[in-house]
Amino acid sequence: MAGMKGDKRMAGKVNDAVQETLDRLVAEGREIGVQVCAWLGEEPIVDCWSGIADAQTGRPVDGDTLFNVYSVTKAVTATALHMQVERGLIDYDAPVAAYWPEFAQAGKGNVTVRHVLGHVSGVLRMPPDVTPELMTNWDWMCARIAEMEGVYPAGSRSSYQSMTFGWLVGEVVRRTDPRRRPFGQFVREEIAEPLGATDLWMGIPASVEPRIARLDDVAVYVAPDNNMMREAQPLIVDLMPDPFERPYVRRACIPAVGGIFNARSEARFWAMLANGGQLNGVRLLSEERVASLAAPRPHFDDVDPVFFGMKVPISWSGFWLGGAEAPPVSSPRNMRALCHPGMGGSIGWADPDLKLAVAFCHNRMFDTVNIDEDSRTIIGDVIRGAL
């Protein structure tokens, strides 16, 4: 592990503290396989892993193991859009239909890009005839979303776009890209490769599939079928090992929930944000834009029907904010921190005050509201304590 310049001893102390904690969490059965990587400023200070990537074969986790991170993917997808705004290609307050004319169907002509980023567009419903196979067909998904009515009037309330967020944002980025690249290619070429985040995948190549950890979902709460969650996240495409471990799903770009990352690459992404939009000489966003991303959205205090009637601490910009006193957003302990959790307990975050970035990837999916049982928050506290 590369330590901090001039203070490798402190970096080693932090790394050792995290490694000890991960080993304990695995030994206690609270994790199966887990990775954590953290950066302070522009240097990595933690690169740790522990446990088993595949309980069926006994394959251990290592630094290159890949994990499904589910909605952590949304942070990368939102960043792609912010980059297009910075290039003068998108206006936050323009209608989505200004870039995607077909989207104006069914009364959605007044839905703006800003509405989508803040999860107040009302366009949360997946097509009722979706299947795992059709979900991997970008053009089909975009055509069906464009045809459908919103559930709520644009801008009227919080309504978390659990899965549709990816196509809503991704299609606007694709249509404003002068090269009209597929969205997964755009992310690869404009974000992952410049940052050296070589394992930030939205649609994997076959060559990396053997490195993916097998998920275990025994600790995940199953939403009741009559909940609005089932409009946004139908059972047939639920955020579970099946269908997301199917090979053809892994190979598709599903830009709200389909990311397959490892902590090393993901931490580079969050470190770029923690350092005001640049990392090691590569600038993706201006410092002023990154500073603006943590402002709360309209309807910040709404309870959300997709999130079981709970509040969702989301900024206007597509990120969650990290100051709440309950998991998952207790992990950064700072309301100015940008973060994004993923189904089953993955998370990444960037604290601009500490210039601290952390990526937490694992395969024992869980739900918890108790900080004492929350591995993400435990790890965040260990890192800050060791610093």
Side-chain angles (χ1 to χ4, degrees), residues 181-238:
R181 286 166 288 183
F183 185 70
Q185 181 182 346
F186 181 98
V187 168
R188 189 89 194 140
E189 294 177 356
E190 300 290 339
I191 298 176
E193 290 177 353
L195 292 177
T198 52
D199 279 318
L200 210 67
W201 298 104
M202 293 190 198
I204 63 161
S207 60
V208 309
E209 189 160 25
R211 293 198 276 127
I212 303 174
R214 182 183 293 272
L215 295 166
D216 183 321
D217 63 345
V218 296
V220 174
Y221 170 72
V222 178
D225 289 346
N226 63 352
N227 192 281
M228 183 60 75
M229 173 63 84
R230 287 297 162 230
E231 296 280 333
Q233 195 172 299
L235 278 172
I236 195 169
V237 290
D238 202 8

Short mmCIF file of all heavy atoms in Angstrom, two decimals, residues 181-238:
data_model
loop_
_atom_site.label_atom_id
_atom_site.label_comp_id
_atom_site.label_asym_id
_atom_site.label_seq_id
_atom_site.Cartn_x
_atom_site.Cartn_y
_atom_site.Cartn_z
N ARG A 181 -21.72 8.26 -27.82
CA ARG A 181 -21.25 6.97 -27.32
C ARG A 181 -22.31 6.31 -26.43
O ARG A 181 -23.06 7.00 -25.73
CB ARG A 181 -19.98 7.18 -26.50
CG ARG A 181 -18.74 7.45 -27.30
CD ARG A 181 -17.60 7.98 -26.43
NE ARG A 181 -17.85 9.35 -25.99
CZ ARG A 181 -16.99 10.08 -25.27
NH1 ARG A 181 -15.81 9.55 -24.92
NH2 ARG A 181 -17.28 11.31 -24.93
N PRO A 182 -22.36 5.00 -26.40
CA PRO A 182 -23.17 4.33 -25.39
C PRO A 182 -22.74 4.81 -24.01
O PRO A 182 -21.54 5.09 -23.78
CB PRO A 182 -22.84 2.85 -25.59
CG PRO A 182 -22.36 2.75 -26.99
CD PRO A 182 -21.66 4.04 -27.28
N PHE A 183 -23.68 4.90 -23.07
CA PHE A 183 -23.38 5.53 -21.79
C PHE A 183 -22.25 4.82 -21.05
O PHE A 183 -21.39 5.46 -20.45
CB PHE A 183 -24.63 5.60 -20.92
CG PHE A 183 -24.40 6.35 -19.64
CD1 PHE A 183 -24.20 7.71 -19.65
CD2 PHE A 183 -24.36 5.68 -18.43
CE1 PHE A 183 -23.96 8.42 -18.47
CE2 PHE A 183 -24.12 6.37 -17.23
CZ PHE A 183 -23.93 7.73 -17.26
N GLY A 184 -22.24 3.49 -21.08
CA GLY A 184 -21.17 2.76 -20.40
C GLY A 184 -19.80 3.10 -20.97
O GLY A 184 -18.81 3.19 -20.23
N GLN A 185 -19.74 3.32 -22.28
CA GLN A 185 -18.47 3.71 -22.90
C GLN A 185 -18.09 5.13 -22.49
O GLN A 185 -16.91 5.42 -22.24
CB GLN A 185 -18.59 3.61 -24.43
CG GLN A 185 -17.32 3.98 -25.17
CD GLN A 185 -17.49 3.92 -26.69
OE1 GLN A 185 -18.48 3.36 -27.19
NE2 GLN A 185 -16.54 4.49 -27.41
N PHE A 186 -19.08 6.02 -22.41
CA PHE A 186 -18.81 7.38 -21.96
C PHE A 186 -18.18 7.37 -20.57
O PHE A 186 -17.17 8.03 -20.32
CB PHE A 186 -20.12 8.18 -21.95
CG PHE A 186 -19.96 9.61 -21.52
CD1 PHE A 186 -19.85 10.62 -22.47
CD2 PHE A 186 -19.91 9.97 -20.18
CE1 PHE A 186 -19.69 11.95 -22.09
CE2 PHE A 186 -19.75 11.30 -19.79
CZ PHE A 186 -19.64 12.29 -20.74
N VAL A 187 -18.77 6.62 -19.64
CA VAL A 187 -18.23 6.54 -18.28
C VAL A 187 -16.82 5.97 -18.29
O VAL A 187 -15.93 6.46 -17.59
CB VAL A 187 -19.17 5.69 -17.40
CG1 VAL A 187 -18.50 5.35 -16.07
CG2 VAL A 187 -20.47 6.44 -17.15
N ARG A 188 -16.62 4.97 -19.10
CA ARG A 188 -15.30 4.34 -19.18
C ARG A 188 -14.24 5.34 -19.63
O ARG A 188 -13.16 5.44 -19.05
CB ARG A 188 -15.38 3.17 -20.16
CG ARG A 188 -14.15 2.30 -20.18
CD ARG A 188 -14.25 1.21 -19.16
NE ARG A 188 -12.95 0.60 -18.94
CZ ARG A 188 -12.50 0.25 -17.75
NH1 ARG A 188 -13.22 0.46 -16.67
NH2 ARG A 188 -11.34 -0.32 -17.61
N GLU A 189 -14.56 6.07 -20.71
CA GLU A 189 -13.57 6.92 -21.35
C GLU A 189 -13.43 8.29 -20.70
O GLU A 189 -12.36 8.90 -20.77
CB GLU A 189 -13.92 7.09 -22.83
CG GLU A 189 -13.81 5.78 -23.60
CD GLU A 189 -14.21 5.88 -25.06
OE1 GLU A 189 -14.67 6.97 -25.49
OE2 GLU A 189 -14.08 4.87 -25.77
N GLU A 190 -14.49 8.78 -20.06
CA GLU A 190 -14.47 10.13 -19.51
C GLU A 190 -14.23 10.18 -18.00
O GLU A 190 -13.82 11.21 -17.46
CB GLU A 190 -15.78 10.86 -19.84
CG GLU A 190 -16.07 10.99 -21.32
CD GLU A 190 -15.13 11.97 -22.01
OE1 GLU A 190 -14.53 12.83 -21.32
OE2 GLU A 190 -14.99 11.88 -23.25
N ILE A 191 -14.51 9.07 -17.29
CA ILE A 191 -14.36 9.05 -15.84
C ILE A 191 -13.37 7.98 -15.39
O ILE A 191 -12.37 8.28 -14.75
CB ILE A 191 -15.74 8.84 -15.15
CG1 ILE A 191 -16.69 10.00 -15.49
CG2 ILE A 191 -15.57 8.70 -13.63
CD1 ILE A 191 -18.09 9.85 -14.95
N ALA A 192 -13.65 6.73 -15.71
CA ALA A 192 -12.84 5.63 -15.17
C ALA A 192 -11.40 5.69 -15.63
O ALA A 192 -10.46 5.67 -14.81
CB ALA A 192 -13.48 4.29 -15.54
N GLU A 193 -11.17 5.75 -16.94
CA GLU A 193 -9.80 5.71 -17.44
C GLU A 193 -8.99 6.94 -17.05
O GLU A 193 -7.84 6.79 -16.62
CB GLU A 193 -9.83 5.51 -18.96
CG GLU A 193 -10.29 4.11 -19.35
CD GLU A 193 -10.40 3.91 -20.85
OE1 GLU A 193 -10.25 4.91 -21.61
OE2 GLU A 193 -10.66 2.77 -21.27
N PRO A 194 -9.53 8.16 -17.14
CA PRO A 194 -8.73 9.31 -16.70
C PRO A 194 -8.31 9.24 -15.24
O PRO A 194 -7.21 9.69 -14.90
CB PRO A 194 -9.66 10.50 -16.97
CG PRO A 194 -10.56 10.04 -18.06
CD PRO A 194 -10.78 8.59 -17.80
N LEU A 195 -9.16 8.68 -14.38
CA LEU A 195 -8.84 8.59 -12.95
C LEU A 195 -7.98 7.38 -12.61
O LEU A 195 -7.58 7.22 -11.46
CB LEU A 195 -10.13 8.54 -12.12
CG LEU A 195 -10.98 9.80 -12.11
CD1 LEU A 195 -12.25 9.56 -11.30
CD2 LEU A 195 -10.20 10.99 -11.54
N GLY A 196 -7.71 6.52 -13.57
CA GLY A 196 -7.02 5.27 -13.27
C GLY A 196 -7.89 4.29 -12.51
O GLY A 196 -7.37 3.37 -11.86
N ALA A 197 -9.21 4.49 -12.59
CA ALA A 197 -10.18 3.62 -11.90
C ALA A 197 -10.58 2.50 -12.86
O ALA A 197 -11.70 2.45 -13.36
CB ALA A 197 -11.39 4.42 -11.45
N THR A 198 -9.65 1.60 -13.09
CA THR A 198 -9.81 0.63 -14.17
C THR A 198 -10.88 -0.41 -13.90
O THR A 198 -11.31 -1.11 -14.82
CB THR A 198 -8.48 -0.08 -14.43
OG1 THR A 198 -7.97 -0.61 -13.20
CG2 THR A 198 -7.45 0.89 -15.00
N ASP A 199 -11.32 -0.53 -12.65
CA ASP A 199 -12.38 -1.49 -12.31
C ASP A 199 -13.65 -0.77 -11.85
O ASP A 199 -14.26 -1.12 -10.85
CB ASP A 199 -11.90 -2.47 -11.25
CG ASP A 199 -11.06 -3.59 -11.86
OD1 ASP A 199 -11.45 -4.10 -12.93
OD2 ASP A 199 -10.03 -3.95 -11.27
N LEU A 200 -14.05 0.22 -12.62
CA LEU A 200 -15.31 0.92 -12.41
C LEU A 200 -16.17 0.58 -13.63
O LEU A 200 -16.12 1.25 -14.64
CB LEU A 200 -15.04 2.42 -12.33
CG LEU A 200 -15.94 3.31 -11.49
CD1 LEU A 200 -15.82 3.00 -10.01
CD2 LEU A 200 -15.60 4.78 -11.75
N TRP A 201 -16.93 -0.49 -13.51
CA TRP A 201 -17.61 -1.07 -14.67
C TRP A 201 -19.11 -0.83 -14.64
O TRP A 201 -19.76 -1.07 -13.63
CB TRP A 201 -17.38 -2.58 -14.74
CG TRP A 201 -15.95 -2.99 -14.90
CD1 TRP A 201 -15.13 -3.50 -13.93
CD2 TRP A 201 -15.18 -2.96 -16.10
NE1 TRP A 201 -13.88 -3.77 -14.45
CE2 TRP A 201 -13.88 -3.46 -15.78
CE3 TRP A 201 -15.44 -2.56 -17.42
CZ2 TRP A 201 -12.87 -3.55 -16.73
CZ3 TRP A 201 -14.43 -2.67 -18.36
CH2 TRP A 201 -13.16 -3.16 -18.02
N MET A 202 -19.65 -0.35 -15.77
CA MET A 202 -21.09 -0.40 -16.04
C MET A 202 -21.26 -1.23 -17.30
O MET A 202 -21.35 -0.72 -18.40
CB MET A 202 -21.67 1.00 -16.23
CG MET A 202 -21.66 1.86 -14.99
SD MET A 202 -22.62 3.36 -15.26
CE MET A 202 -21.99 4.38 -13.92
N GLY A 203 -21.26 -2.53 -17.09
CA GLY A 203 -21.22 -3.47 -18.19
C GLY A 203 -19.83 -4.06 -18.28
O GLY A 203 -18.90 -3.41 -18.78
N ILE A 204 -19.67 -5.27 -17.77
CA ILE A 204 -18.33 -5.86 -17.69
C ILE A 204 -17.94 -6.54 -18.99
O ILE A 204 -18.80 -7.03 -19.74
CB ILE A 204 -18.23 -6.88 -16.54
CG1 ILE A 204 -19.17 -8.08 -16.80
CG2 ILE A 204 -18.48 -6.25 -15.20
CD1 ILE A 204 -18.85 -9.32 -16.00
N PRO A 205 -16.65 -6.64 -19.28
CA PRO A 205 -16.18 -7.58 -20.30
C PRO A 205 -16.12 -8.98 -19.68
O PRO A 205 -15.96 -9.13 -18.46
CB PRO A 205 -14.79 -7.07 -20.65
CG PRO A 205 -14.31 -6.43 -19.38
CD PRO A 205 -15.53 -5.86 -18.71
N ALA A 206 -16.22 -9.99 -20.51
CA ALA A 206 -16.22 -11.37 -20.00
C ALA A 206 -14.95 -11.68 -19.22
O ALA A 206 -14.98 -12.48 -18.28
CB ALA A 206 -16.37 -12.34 -21.17
N SER A 207 -13.85 -11.01 -19.55
CA SER A 207 -12.57 -11.36 -18.94
C SER A 207 -12.53 -11.09 -17.44
O SER A 207 -11.73 -11.70 -16.73
CB SER A 207 -11.45 -10.58 -19.62
OG SER A 207 -11.67 -9.17 -19.49
N VAL A 208 -13.36 -10.19 -16.92
CA VAL A 208 -13.30 -9.87 -15.49
C VAL A 208 -14.33 -10.64 -14.67
O VAL A 208 -14.30 -10.58 -13.44
CB VAL A 208 -13.46 -8.35 -15.22
CG1 VAL A 208 -12.50 -7.56 -16.08
CG2 VAL A 208 -14.89 -7.89 -15.41
N GLU A 209 -15.20 -11.38 -15.33
CA GLU A 209 -16.28 -12.05 -14.59
C GLU A 209 -15.77 -12.99 -13.49
O GLU A 209 -16.37 -13.04 -12.40
CB GLU A 209 -17.21 -12.79 -15.54
CG GLU A 209 -18.47 -13.31 -14.86
CD GLU A 209 -19.57 -13.60 -15.85
OE1 GLU A 209 -19.27 -13.85 -17.03
OE2 GLU A 209 -20.74 -13.58 -15.44
N PRO A 210 -14.69 -13.72 -13.70
CA PRO A 210 -14.22 -14.61 -12.61
C PRO A 210 -13.81 -13.87 -11.35
O PRO A 210 -13.67 -14.51 -10.30
CB PRO A 210 -13.02 -15.33 -13.25
CG PRO A 210 -13.26 -15.27 -14.73
CD PRO A 210 -13.92 -13.95 -14.95
N ARG A 211 -13.62 -12.58 -11.40
CA ARG A 211 -13.22 -11.83 -10.21
C ARG A 211 -14.40 -11.32 -9.39
O ARG A 211 -14.20 -10.71 -8.33
CB ARG A 211 -12.35 -10.63 -10.63
CG ARG A 211 -11.01 -11.01 -11.21
CD ARG A 211 -10.06 -9.83 -11.19
NE ARG A 211 -10.21 -8.93 -12.32
CZ ARG A 211 -10.39 -7.63 -12.23
NH1 ARG A 211 -10.49 -7.04 -11.05
NH2 ARG A 211 -10.49 -6.88 -13.31
N ILE A 212 -15.64 -11.52 -9.83
CA ILE A 212 -16.79 -10.96 -9.13
C ILE A 212 -17.16 -11.84 -7.93
O ILE A 212 -17.22 -13.07 -8.03
CB ILE A 212 -18.00 -10.83 -10.07
CG1 ILE A 212 -17.64 -9.96 -11.28
CG2 ILE A 212 -19.20 -10.22 -9.33
CD1 ILE A 212 -18.72 -9.89 -12.33
N ALA A 213 -17.40 -11.20 -6.80
CA ALA A 213 -17.82 -11.91 -5.59
C ALA A 213 -19.26 -12.38 -5.71
O ALA A 213 -20.10 -11.71 -6.32
CB ALA A 213 -17.66 -11.01 -4.37
N ARG A 214 -19.55 -13.52 -5.08
CA ARG A 214 -20.92 -14.04 -5.05
C ARG A 214 -21.68 -13.39 -3.89
O ARG A 214 -21.21 -13.36 -2.76
CB ARG A 214 -20.89 -15.56 -4.87
CG ARG A 214 -22.28 -16.20 -4.88
CD ARG A 214 -22.17 -17.71 -4.63
NE ARG A 214 -21.51 -18.38 -5.74
CZ ARG A 214 -22.14 -18.84 -6.82
NH1 ARG A 214 -23.45 -18.70 -6.94
NH2 ARG A 214 -21.46 -19.44 -7.77
N LEU A 215 -22.87 -12.89 -4.20
CA LEU A 215 -23.68 -12.20 -3.20
C LEU A 215 -24.41 -13.17 -2.28
O LEU A 215 -24.76 -14.28 -2.68
CB LEU A 215 -24.72 -11.31 -3.89
CG LEU A 215 -24.16 -10.13 -4.70
CD1 LEU A 215 -25.24 -9.55 -5.60
CD2 LEU A 215 -23.61 -9.06 -3.77
N ASP A 216 -24.66 -12.72 -1.06
CA ASP A 216 -25.48 -13.45 -0.09
C ASP A 216 -26.52 -12.46 0.43
O ASP A 216 -26.18 -11.45 1.04
CB ASP A 216 -24.61 -13.95 1.06
CG ASP A 216 -25.38 -14.78 2.08
OD1 ASP A 216 -26.53 -14.41 2.38
OD2 ASP A 216 -24.83 -15.76 2.60
N ASP A 217 -27.81 -12.75 0.20
CA ASP A 217 -28.86 -11.79 0.52
C ASP A 217 -29.75 -12.22 1.69
O ASP A 217 -30.86 -11.72 1.87
CB ASP A 217 -29.75 -11.54 -0.70
CG ASP A 217 -30.50 -12.77 -1.15
OD1 ASP A 217 -30.12 -13.89 -0.73
OD2 ASP A 217 -31.46 -12.65 -1.93
N VAL A 218 -29.26 -13.11 2.55
CA VAL A 218 -30.12 -13.67 3.60
C VAL A 218 -30.54 -12.63 4.63
O VAL A 218 -31.53 -12.81 5.33
CB VAL A 218 -29.44 -14.86 4.31
CG1 VAL A 218 -29.22 -16.01 3.36
CG2 VAL A 218 -28.12 -14.43 4.95
N ALA A 219 -29.80 -11.53 4.74
CA ALA A 219 -30.11 -10.54 5.78
C ALA A 219 -30.89 -9.34 5.24
O ALA A 219 -31.03 -8.34 5.93
CB ALA A 219 -28.82 -10.06 6.44
N VAL A 220 -31.40 -9.43 4.01
CA VAL A 220 -32.06 -8.28 3.38
C VAL A 220 -33.57 -8.38 3.56
O VAL A 220 -34.19 -9.42 3.32
CB VAL A 220 -31.71 -8.20 1.88
CG1 VAL A 220 -32.50 -7.10 1.20
CG2 VAL A 220 -30.22 -7.94 1.72
N TYR A 221 -34.15 -7.27 3.97
CA TYR A 221 -35.59 -7.15 4.12
C TYR A 221 -36.24 -7.14 2.75
O TYR A 221 -35.76 -6.49 1.83
CB TYR A 221 -35.91 -5.85 4.87
CG TYR A 221 -37.37 -5.49 4.89
CD1 TYR A 221 -38.27 -6.21 5.68
CD2 TYR A 221 -37.85 -4.42 4.15
CE1 TYR A 221 -39.60 -5.87 5.71
CE2 TYR A 221 -39.19 -4.08 4.19
CZ TYR A 221 -40.06 -4.80 4.96
OH TYR A 221 -41.39 -4.46 4.99
N VAL A 222 -37.34 -7.87 2.59
CA VAL A 222 -38.08 -7.92 1.33
C VAL A 222 -39.29 -7.00 1.44
O VAL A 222 -40.12 -7.15 2.34
CB VAL A 222 -38.52 -9.36 1.00
CG1 VAL A 222 -39.33 -9.37 -0.28
CG2 VAL A 222 -37.30 -10.27 0.87
N ALA A 223 -39.39 -6.04 0.53
CA ALA A 223 -40.49 -5.08 0.56
C ALA A 223 -41.82 -5.75 0.25
O ALA A 223 -41.88 -6.67 -0.57
CB ALA A 223 -40.23 -3.97 -0.45
N PRO A 224 -42.89 -5.32 0.88
CA PRO A 224 -44.20 -5.87 0.54
C PRO A 224 -44.58 -5.52 -0.89
O PRO A 224 -44.24 -4.45 -1.40
CB PRO A 224 -45.14 -5.19 1.55
CG PRO A 224 -44.41 -3.98 2.01
CD PRO A 224 -42.95 -4.32 1.94
N ASP A 225 -45.31 -6.42 -1.53
CA ASP A 225 -45.62 -6.24 -2.94
C ASP A 225 -46.53 -5.05 -3.21
O ASP A 225 -46.57 -4.55 -4.33
CB ASP A 225 -46.27 -7.51 -3.49
CG ASP A 225 -45.28 -8.65 -3.59
OD1 ASP A 225 -44.08 -8.38 -3.50
OD2 ASP A 225 -45.71 -9.80 -3.77
N ASN A 226 -47.26 -4.57 -2.22
CA ASN A 226 -48.15 -3.44 -2.46
C ASN A 226 -47.48 -2.10 -2.20
O ASN A 226 -48.11 -1.06 -2.26
CB ASN A 226 -49.42 -3.58 -1.60
CG ASN A 226 -49.11 -3.54 -0.11
OD1 ASN A 226 -47.95 -3.56 0.28
ND2 ASN A 226 -50.15 -3.49 0.71
N ASN A 227 -46.22 -2.10 -1.89
CA ASN A 227 -45.49 -0.86 -1.64
C ASN A 227 -45.14 -0.19 -2.96
O ASN A 227 -44.92 -0.86 -3.98
CB ASN A 227 -44.22 -1.18 -0.84
CG ASN A 227 -43.56 0.05 -0.28
OD1 ASN A 227 -42.87 0.76 -1.00
ND2 ASN A 227 -43.77 0.31 1.00
N MET A 228 -45.05 1.16 -2.95
CA MET A 228 -44.65 1.88 -4.15
C MET A 228 -43.28 1.42 -4.65
O MET A 228 -42.97 1.56 -5.83
CB MET A 228 -44.65 3.39 -3.87
CG MET A 228 -44.33 4.26 -5.06
SD MET A 228 -45.50 4.07 -6.44
CE MET A 228 -46.90 4.98 -5.77
N MET A 229 -42.46 0.85 -3.75
CA MET A 229 -41.18 0.29 -4.19
C MET A 229 -41.37 -0.68 -5.34
O MET A 229 -40.53 -0.77 -6.24
CB MET A 229 -40.48 -0.40 -3.02
CG MET A 229 -39.22 -1.16 -3.37
SD MET A 229 -37.89 -0.14 -4.02
CE MET A 229 -37.13 0.43 -2.51
N ARG A 230 -42.48 -1.40 -5.36
CA ARG A 230 -42.67 -2.39 -6.41
C ARG A 230 -43.05 -1.77 -7.74
O ARG A 230 -42.97 -2.43 -8.78
CB ARG A 230 -43.71 -3.43 -5.95
CG ARG A 230 -43.15 -4.36 -4.89
CD ARG A 230 -41.98 -5.18 -5.46
NE ARG A 230 -41.18 -5.77 -4.40
CZ ARG A 230 -39.87 -5.68 -4.33
NH1 ARG A 230 -39.20 -5.00 -5.23
NH2 ARG A 230 -39.21 -6.26 -3.35
N GLU A 231 -43.48 -0.51 -7.75
CA GLU A 231 -43.62 0.22 -9.01
C GLU A 231 -42.24 0.60 -9.54
O GLU A 231 -41.97 0.54 -10.73
CB GLU A 231 -44.45 1.49 -8.79
CG GLU A 231 -45.88 1.24 -8.37
CD GLU A 231 -46.77 0.89 -9.54
OE1 GLU A 231 -46.47 1.29 -10.68
OE2 GLU A 231 -47.77 0.19 -9.31
N ALA A 232 -41.38 1.02 -8.62
CA ALA A 232 -40.05 1.48 -9.00
C ALA A 232 -39.06 0.35 -9.21
O ALA A 232 -38.08 0.50 -9.94
CB ALA A 232 -39.52 2.43 -7.92
N GLN A 233 -39.31 -0.78 -8.57
CA GLN A 233 -38.35 -1.88 -8.52
C GLN A 233 -39.12 -3.20 -8.52
O GLN A 233 -39.23 -3.87 -7.51
CB GLN A 233 -37.56 -1.72 -7.22
CG GLN A 233 -36.29 -2.50 -7.10
CD GLN A 233 -35.54 -2.10 -5.85
OE1 GLN A 233 -35.14 -0.95 -5.69
NE2 GLN A 233 -35.36 -3.03 -4.93
N PRO A 234 -39.68 -3.58 -9.67
CA PRO A 234 -40.51 -4.79 -9.72
C PRO A 234 -39.73 -6.03 -9.31
O PRO A 234 -38.52 -6.14 -9.51
CB PRO A 234 -40.93 -4.87 -11.19
CG PRO A 234 -40.77 -3.48 -11.71
CD PRO A 234 -39.63 -2.88 -10.96
N LEU A 235 -40.46 -6.99 -8.73
CA LEU A 235 -39.81 -8.21 -8.25
C LEU A 235 -39.01 -8.92 -9.33
O LEU A 235 -37.96 -9.50 -9.06
CB LEU A 235 -40.86 -9.17 -7.67
CG LEU A 235 -41.30 -8.90 -6.24
CD1 LEU A 235 -42.48 -9.80 -5.88
CD2 LEU A 235 -40.14 -9.13 -5.27
N ILE A 236 -39.49 -8.87 -10.57
CA ILE A 236 -38.81 -9.62 -11.62
C ILE A 236 -37.41 -9.07 -11.91
O ILE A 236 -36.54 -9.78 -12.42
CB ILE A 236 -39.67 -9.65 -12.90
CG1 ILE A 236 -39.17 -10.72 -13.87
CG2 ILE A 236 -39.72 -8.29 -13.58
CD1 ILE A 236 -40.11 -11.01 -15.03
N VAL A 237 -37.19 -7.78 -11.57
CA VAL A 237 -35.85 -7.19 -11.75
C VAL A 237 -35.35 -6.64 -10.41
O VAL A 237 -34.61 -5.64 -10.37
CB VAL A 237 -35.85 -6.09 -12.83
CG1 VAL A 237 -36.05 -6.70 -14.20
CG2 VAL A 237 -36.91 -5.01 -12.54
N ASP A 238 -35.71 -7.28 -9.31
CA ASP A 238 -35.35 -6.78 -7.99
C ASP A 238 -33.84 -6.75 -7.80
O ASP A 238 -33.09 -7.50 -8.45
CB ASP A 238 -35.99 -7.66 -6.92
CG ASP A 238 -36.13 -6.96 -5.59
OD1 ASP A 238 -35.88 -5.74 -5.53
OD2 ASP A 238 -36.51 -7.62 -4.61
#
